[in-house]
Amino acid sequence: MSAIHQNVSTSLSASTSTFLSHNNLKSLRPSHVSVAGRMSAVVKCVATPSAEKTAYKTDVARNENLAKLQAGYLFPEIARRRNAHIAKNPDAKVISLGIGDTTEPIPEVITSAMSKRSEVLSTVSGYSGYGAEQGEQKLRAAIASTYYAGLGIEENDIFVSDGAKSDISRLQVLFGSNVTMAVQDPSYPAYVDSSVILGQTGLFQTDVEKYANIEYMRCTPENGFFPDLSTVRRTDIIFFCSPNNPTGSAASREQLTKLVQFAKENGSIIVYDSAYAMYVSDDSPRSIFEIPGAREVALEVSSFSKYAGFTGVRLGWTAIPKELHYSDGFPVAKDFNRIVCTCFNGASNIAQAGGLACVSPEGIKAMHEVVGFYKENTAIIVDTFNSLGFKVYGGKNAPYVWVHFPGRSSWDVFSEILEKTHVVTTPGSGFGPGGEGFVRVSAFGHRENVLEACRRFKELYK
Amino acid sequence: MYTSLAFSFMPYKTILSPRASITTQDNKNATVYRTKVSRNPTMEKLQYNYLFPEISEREAQHAKKYPNAKIISLGIGDTTEPLPDVVASSMANYAYSLSTRTGYRGYGAEQGSKDLRKAIAETFYKDMGIQGAEVFVSDGAQCDISRLQMLFGSNMSIAVQDPIFPAYIDSSVIIGQTGDVEQGSGRYQNIEYMRCDPHHNFFPDLSKTARTDIIFFCSPNNPTGHAASWEQLEQLVKLAQENGSIIVYDSAYAVYITDGSPRSIYEIPGAKKVAIEVSSFSKIAGFTGVRLGWTVVPKELLYSNGFPVINDFNRIICTCFNGASRIAQAGGLASLSSEGFKSVMSLVDYYKSNAEILLETFESLGLKAYGGVNAPYLWVHFPGSNSWDVFNEILEKTHIITVPGSGFGPAGKEYIRVTAFGHRENILEASDRLRSLLL
């Protein structure tokens, strides 16, 4: 990734930040570049002695919402640290268990469908241009019948997308700046960051490491990673990810029933992120719509990324029930449809062909194998940390292991693990203040790398 | 000229374009549960369906009404010709490689593959000083426009050409930059509409244009087909400099230019300090369904406080997006290879020839058709008419779908947009039908 873009928006407190000396900055004018974040100091770039002092500026004010963001998005920062480490240690075999990036090849039944579709696009009878913005009808139907059979979600409730991350932002655009939101703490950072960008929040409060106006629902081992809803203030929107990224915890039927009830009492809308549903091993619900009454209070986002290795192919979906209405009775799905038609133009037809193969009987079997492989990785990592005497969470219903390092700064632990074992993880505080003291280890990786990483963990922490 | 033709208006009660008429039974039922979440007031401001789904809907209704009619679509600007083999096979091969251990790749850089970013810079911005690092690969211009609106935020004022491709206006309404629509004119409050008339060479009178933060400018223009001249763009850049504005320049149709007009805003000196450019592989390589485009944000483009716009755009890309499909990017790279570029350009030429045929047709009918020379759109004038009426008449009597000009803004009221995308035989057939209707 282009380092220049990462560096300038990186918090200055990052210990291995080298952006001030990076070569790429030669092309940056030495104008006052204010680094978003804790330091309100202005940074002068030092590498451009020959550039003018009077760089032209437009009269367009920077969007103050972007200025509220504290640092770069979490995962590019992890990547930057990884790359810096590799550069410093060219002979080290760095193993990435940080960013949740899939590593195993996509099953052939799926790639051959995409190859075929690509070839068909070069034929007169097979060429197609713009597709329906909501997705190809066959795929919408297949997603509905595969994941929502018997749950009252039909094909026209499914909106195919280029992935959950894009959908989250489109949902924020849908809701607008006047809504309040609640998130789990810790949580996948896209919910909070997109909320800040859309202007739903106040400033970042450094003492508590939270943005004003967001309700953070603390999830800890003590409360079984489910918030005490009696202490949660009413918000319009509640983001809920289960199985959870980063804690790996899957909410039980009982817990989700409470959540739906809470939403009903408060007239809130749940945005349920079920991207890891296929990793569920016990009888925890895989969809919010398994809970009676959920269709009136929830919509669900999901993705093929972690099921079929589609992280680079880009395909996901959002399910919005017909029963979900705004306070004035207007159906939420209707406005989302408008957003999808105006701010989007459909997922790639080739990716959709792959998606259709994913939800064929053979494809489902193949996805389960891929998921099963990563689940085995997860078990290996869980065993390793257990054997070392750590308190370990998650790992049963998700490809993430949430390891407790009581009393320690998670960025320090991240750095220590990286320096001493050349393994990249993700510091828990990157997911919110509730993640401090934890490190997330993702289970995506070639088997030999996962085994090697575990061997190194055992060396370090024996 | 138009009024002397035997062309009867169908009675049609709408003012500018039909209101969305979908109602759900639930709205009327008082016992249906409603959350306490208010509908986003900006969504309420939107007056109509997005234009192109509306056109699709009309086509579907017409097909139902006339099941045996051979409908020819010259409406939505959708490419029709197959991808060149070299491009399709690159994607087929790439897709296959994802099932191999050595070929599999996961997440790509959100900004796009380095190779593709570089190839775009070298192909389209040669000698303009735009580097790969300033190119952000996307899943298409329509998505980029909304991401740019998220970048700018709701406290911006925008100017648009009138008439214009509706995504700039609609995304502006959605993000909260506008007031309500004025019922009479159909214009949204707080948007500066820059009238583009044939009499003024389809370029706004900039001396009458109020200052706005952002100026959306599409050239070659959708829907008028006009490509701004060097002098015109020089004026535009000068205005942006004087007003401290940012131009968002949409160059999606640049490869259709025939007459030497500028293909990129960055051909104008000083533009890098005032302009962002958005483009797309849709109409270059037939990628309307494959989904690939790009946005250029020069490093020199700074907000009033000196903060580089590119840094914030990068943050948006990393947070609200996850990169264009790697398979589409492989196709994009193939289309910019020496063989690939030749083959996609021959498709562009095919559509340009279609445009020539249609221009001749309208000329022979005594109708003034603008555009068609630097863009795959014709902008046909039906003086004294209401464009939805003309749209309906053409559809009803010739089974040809077009797009009523007022869908692009109030200045489009007497015009019809006709696209030049289509199989040659359909273009010729459509020309015959139009001749028999309008002669």
Side-chain angles (χ1 to χ4, degrees), chain A residues 375-390 392 394-395 401 403 454 457-458:
Chain A
K375 281 163 85 164
E376 285 166 6
N377 282 354
T378 318
I380 292 167
I381 297 169
V382 168
D383 284 344
T384 300
F385 280 99
N386 269 333
S387 73
L388 291 168
F390 285 96
V392 173
V401 183
V403 186
C454 287
F457 293 146
K458 283 188 178 135

Short mmCIF file of all heavy atoms in Angstrom, two decimals, chain A residues 375-390 392 394-395 401 403 454 457-458:
data_model
loop_
_atom_site.label_atom_id
_atom_site.label_comp_id
_atom_site.label_asym_id
_atom_site.label_seq_id
_atom_site.Cartn_x
_atom_site.Cartn_y
_atom_site.Cartn_z
N LYS A 375 -11.28 -23.24 10.97
CA LYS A 375 -11.69 -23.58 12.33
C LYS A 375 -10.66 -24.49 12.99
O LYS A 375 -10.38 -24.37 14.19
CB LYS A 375 -13.07 -24.24 12.33
CG LYS A 375 -14.20 -23.23 12.20
CD LYS A 375 -15.53 -23.83 11.80
CE LYS A 375 -16.31 -24.36 12.96
NZ LYS A 375 -17.73 -24.58 12.59
N GLU A 376 -10.05 -25.37 12.20
CA GLU A 376 -8.98 -26.21 12.75
C GLU A 376 -7.81 -25.36 13.17
O GLU A 376 -7.20 -25.57 14.23
CB GLU A 376 -8.52 -27.24 11.71
CG GLU A 376 -9.49 -28.39 11.53
CD GLU A 376 -9.18 -29.20 10.27
OE1 GLU A 376 -8.15 -28.94 9.61
OE2 GLU A 376 -9.98 -30.11 9.96
N ASN A 377 -7.47 -24.37 12.33
CA ASN A 377 -6.41 -23.42 12.69
C ASN A 377 -6.73 -22.77 14.03
O ASN A 377 -5.87 -22.61 14.90
CB ASN A 377 -6.29 -22.30 11.64
CG ASN A 377 -5.55 -22.73 10.39
OD1 ASN A 377 -5.01 -23.83 10.31
ND2 ASN A 377 -5.52 -21.84 9.40
N THR A 378 -7.99 -22.34 14.16
CA THR A 378 -8.41 -21.65 15.37
C THR A 378 -8.19 -22.53 16.59
O THR A 378 -7.69 -22.07 17.62
CB THR A 378 -9.90 -21.24 15.28
OG1 THR A 378 -10.19 -20.75 13.98
CG2 THR A 378 -10.22 -20.16 16.29
N ALA A 379 -8.57 -23.80 16.45
CA ALA A 379 -8.42 -24.73 17.58
C ALA A 379 -6.95 -24.86 17.98
O ALA A 379 -6.62 -24.91 19.18
CB ALA A 379 -9.00 -26.08 17.20
N ILE A 380 -6.08 -24.90 17.01
CA ILE A 380 -4.64 -25.01 17.29
C ILE A 380 -4.17 -23.80 18.09
O ILE A 380 -3.42 -23.91 19.07
CB ILE A 380 -3.84 -25.14 15.97
CG1 ILE A 380 -4.15 -26.48 15.31
CG2 ILE A 380 -2.33 -24.98 16.23
CD1 ILE A 380 -3.65 -26.59 13.87
N ILE A 381 -4.61 -22.62 17.68
CA ILE A 381 -4.20 -21.39 18.35
C ILE A 381 -4.78 -21.34 19.77
O ILE A 381 -4.07 -20.97 20.73
CB ILE A 381 -4.64 -20.14 17.54
CG1 ILE A 381 -3.93 -20.14 16.18
CG2 ILE A 381 -4.34 -18.85 18.30
CD1 ILE A 381 -4.48 -19.13 15.19
N VAL A 382 -6.03 -21.73 19.91
CA VAL A 382 -6.66 -21.75 21.23
C VAL A 382 -5.89 -22.67 22.17
O VAL A 382 -5.54 -22.32 23.29
CB VAL A 382 -8.14 -22.20 21.13
CG1 VAL A 382 -8.70 -22.52 22.50
CG2 VAL A 382 -8.98 -21.13 20.46
N ASP A 383 -5.60 -23.89 21.68
CA ASP A 383 -4.85 -24.85 22.49
C ASP A 383 -3.51 -24.29 22.94
O ASP A 383 -3.10 -24.45 24.08
CB ASP A 383 -4.57 -26.13 21.68
CG ASP A 383 -5.81 -27.00 21.57
OD1 ASP A 383 -6.75 -26.77 22.36
OD2 ASP A 383 -5.84 -27.88 20.69
N THR A 384 -2.83 -23.62 21.99
CA THR A 384 -1.51 -23.09 22.29
C THR A 384 -1.57 -22.10 23.45
O THR A 384 -0.83 -22.22 24.43
CB THR A 384 -0.91 -22.40 21.05
OG1 THR A 384 -0.81 -23.35 20.00
CG2 THR A 384 0.45 -21.79 21.34
N PHE A 385 -2.46 -21.14 23.34
CA PHE A 385 -2.50 -20.13 24.40
C PHE A 385 -3.04 -20.70 25.71
O PHE A 385 -2.62 -20.29 26.79
CB PHE A 385 -3.31 -18.90 23.95
CG PHE A 385 -2.52 -17.98 23.07
CD1 PHE A 385 -2.67 -18.02 21.68
CD2 PHE A 385 -1.59 -17.09 23.61
CE1 PHE A 385 -1.91 -17.19 20.86
CE2 PHE A 385 -0.83 -16.26 22.79
CZ PHE A 385 -0.99 -16.32 21.41
N ASN A 386 -3.96 -21.64 25.61
CA ASN A 386 -4.44 -22.31 26.82
C ASN A 386 -3.29 -23.00 27.52
O ASN A 386 -3.12 -22.88 28.73
CB ASN A 386 -5.51 -23.36 26.47
CG ASN A 386 -6.90 -22.76 26.51
OD1 ASN A 386 -7.15 -21.80 27.23
ND2 ASN A 386 -7.82 -23.32 25.73
N SER A 387 -2.50 -23.73 26.72
CA SER A 387 -1.40 -24.50 27.31
C SER A 387 -0.36 -23.59 27.95
O SER A 387 0.38 -24.01 28.84
CB SER A 387 -0.74 -25.39 26.25
OG SER A 387 0.02 -24.59 25.36
N LEU A 388 -0.32 -22.32 27.49
CA LEU A 388 0.64 -21.39 28.07
C LEU A 388 0.07 -20.68 29.29
O LEU A 388 0.72 -19.81 29.87
CB LEU A 388 1.07 -20.35 27.01
CG LEU A 388 1.92 -20.91 25.86
CD1 LEU A 388 2.04 -19.90 24.72
CD2 LEU A 388 3.30 -21.29 26.36
N GLY A 389 -1.16 -21.05 29.66
CA GLY A 389 -1.76 -20.49 30.86
C GLY A 389 -2.50 -19.19 30.65
O GLY A 389 -2.86 -18.52 31.62
N PHE A 390 -2.72 -18.80 29.41
CA PHE A 390 -3.46 -17.56 29.15
C PHE A 390 -4.95 -17.81 29.26
O PHE A 390 -5.44 -18.91 29.03
CB PHE A 390 -3.17 -17.04 27.74
CG PHE A 390 -1.82 -16.41 27.59
CD1 PHE A 390 -0.75 -17.14 27.11
CD2 PHE A 390 -1.62 -15.08 27.94
CE1 PHE A 390 0.50 -16.56 26.97
CE2 PHE A 390 -0.37 -14.50 27.80
CZ PHE A 390 0.69 -15.23 27.32
N VAL A 392 -8.13 -17.41 27.41
CA VAL A 392 -8.39 -17.32 25.98
C VAL A 392 -9.89 -17.32 25.73
O VAL A 392 -10.61 -18.12 26.32
CB VAL A 392 -7.76 -18.55 25.27
CG1 VAL A 392 -8.15 -18.58 23.81
CG2 VAL A 392 -6.26 -18.52 25.42
N GLY A 394 -13.23 -16.68 22.68
CA GLY A 394 -13.54 -16.84 21.25
C GLY A 394 -13.01 -18.16 20.73
O GLY A 394 -12.84 -19.11 21.49
N GLY A 395 -12.75 -18.20 19.44
CA GLY A 395 -12.14 -19.37 18.84
C GLY A 395 -13.05 -20.56 18.63
O GLY A 395 -12.67 -21.53 17.98
N VAL A 401 -9.22 -15.44 17.93
CA VAL A 401 -8.92 -15.84 19.30
C VAL A 401 -8.59 -14.56 20.06
O VAL A 401 -7.76 -13.76 19.61
CB VAL A 401 -7.73 -16.83 19.32
CG1 VAL A 401 -7.46 -17.29 20.75
CG2 VAL A 401 -8.02 -18.02 18.42
N VAL A 403 -7.10 -13.07 23.25
CA VAL A 403 -6.22 -13.49 24.34
C VAL A 403 -6.03 -12.36 25.33
O VAL A 403 -5.71 -11.23 24.96
CB VAL A 403 -4.84 -13.93 23.77
CG1 VAL A 403 -3.98 -14.52 24.88
CG2 VAL A 403 -5.01 -14.93 22.63
N CYS A 454 2.50 -20.78 16.35
CA CYS A 454 2.21 -21.31 17.68
C CYS A 454 3.49 -21.81 18.35
O CYS A 454 3.67 -21.64 19.57
CB CYS A 454 1.17 -22.43 17.58
SG CYS A 454 -0.47 -21.76 17.22
N PHE A 457 5.07 -18.77 19.67
CA PHE A 457 4.38 -18.26 20.88
C PHE A 457 4.85 -19.06 22.09
O PHE A 457 5.09 -18.52 23.16
CB PHE A 457 2.85 -18.38 20.75
CG PHE A 457 2.23 -17.51 19.70
CD1 PHE A 457 1.12 -17.95 18.99
CD2 PHE A 457 2.72 -16.24 19.42
CE1 PHE A 457 0.53 -17.15 18.02
CE2 PHE A 457 2.13 -15.43 18.45
CZ PHE A 457 1.03 -15.89 17.74
N LYS A 458 4.94 -20.38 21.87
CA LYS A 458 5.32 -21.25 23.00
C LYS A 458 6.73 -20.89 23.47
O LYS A 458 7.00 -20.85 24.66
CB LYS A 458 5.26 -22.72 22.59
CG LYS A 458 3.84 -23.26 22.54
CD LYS A 458 3.82 -24.78 22.32
CE LYS A 458 2.40 -25.30 22.33
NZ LYS A 458 2.13 -26.24 21.24
#
